[in-house]
Each structure stands twice: as structure tokens, then as C-alpha cells.
């Protein structure tokens, strides 16, 4: 049986996810622009994949190992549970950042101390993420 391929619904055939795609899939604080993890940068996916794996699956990102990505694409139960756990943890972090900023009036630097050590190499990425959370909440309240 021949597998038919169609334009990737996540990246719209571009092979990479941009800010518009992220916004369209409502993943603003969960995905970053880059190679599309759904089509693996090819711009095409099988119809079978679309039928079996949700295009908006938050956990299916490029920071997964190839082995884990394969498990996600095959709807492995353990990978699905890890994805659910990661989504819950991500939402808890987002909610915690919002609480610290809007209810306790902490700034980005103060909030970052809750999540990093002094010399953490990812501190700049964390600052950016915290700022995006604050900005998204501020913009939604306009």
C-alpha cells in the first residue's frame, strides 16, 4: 500500500515553524521558532501521521531525542504520559511566574532566582522566557 504525503499542517509546508505558526497553534509560551518537529523539516507528512498524531501536540518539539520523538509519533503510552507531565509542569511554571510578577511584584531578575543557580548557563534563555510570560499576560489584559 502506497503512503500519500501532504503539506505539513504544522508548518504549512515551509519545513520550519515561525511565530505565526506558533500563534496559530496557540503554543506561544511552549514552542520556539525552528525546524518543524512534525514533518522533521521536510514540509510533507503522511496522511497516516495526521490521523494518528495531533498536529498541536505540545510535547513534540525538536529538543526531544530521536528515540523519544519516534515514541511520540508512534503514540507510545509512556511517551504520552511524559508529554502530559511536561505540559502540566510548563503550565505550573508559567502560572508561578505570573503570580510572582503580578501578585508579588517581583521583576525578571528576582523571578529567575526561583529557577536557576547563580552561574546557570541557561540564565539568559530563562530571562527571555520570563519576560515573554509577563509580556503575554500584560498584552492579554489590554
Amino acid at each position: 500500500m502506497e503512503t500519500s504525503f501532504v503539506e505539513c499542517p504544522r508548518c504549512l509546508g515551509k519545513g520550519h515553524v515561525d511565530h505565526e505558526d506558533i500563534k496559530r497553534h496557540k503554543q506561544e509560551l511552549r514552542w520556539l521558532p525552528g525546524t518543524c518537529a512534525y514533518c522533521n523539516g521536510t514540509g510533507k507528512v503522511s496522511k497516516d501521521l495526521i490521523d494518528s498524531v495531533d498536529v498541536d501536540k505540545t510535547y513534540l518539539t525538536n529538543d526531544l531525542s530521536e528515540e523519544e520523538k519516534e515514541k511520540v509519533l508512534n503514540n507510545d503510552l509512556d511517551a504520552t504520559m511524559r508529554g502530559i507531565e511536561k505540559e502540566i509542569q510548563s503550565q505550573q511554571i508559567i502560572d508561578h511566574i505570573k503570580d510572582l510578577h503580578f501578585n508579588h511584584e517581583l521583576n525578571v531578575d528576582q523571578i529567575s532566582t526561583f529557577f536557576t543557580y547563580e552561574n546557570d548557563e541557561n540564565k539568559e534563555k530563562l530571562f527571555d522566557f520570563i519576560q515573554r510570560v509577563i509580556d503575554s499576560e500584560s498584552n492579554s489584559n489590554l
Side-chain angles (χ1 to χ4, degrees), residues 29-41:
L29 296 172
R30 290 165 179 78
W31 292 350
L32 292 172
T35 303
C36 181
Y38 198 73
C39 69
N40 209 22

Side-chain angles (χ1 to χ4, degrees), residues 3 19 25 27 51 59 62-63 65 68 85-86 91-92 119 123 128 132 137:
T3 302
H19 289 290
H25 292 287
Q27 298 294 335
D51 291 340
Y59 186 54
N62 285 324
D63 59 350
S65 69
E68 183 72 357
E85 288 171 12
K86 185 172 181 178
Q91 189 58 52
Q92 288 173 336
N119 295 319
K123 198 166 191 171
D128 178 59
R132 287 189 301 127
E137 183 70 12

Side-chain angles (χ1 to χ4, degrees), residues 39-53:
C39 69
N40 209 22
T42 65
K44 299 281 184 191
V45 295
S46 70
K47 288 185 177 181
D48 294 341
L49 179 63
I50 294 171
D51 291 340
S52 65
V53 179

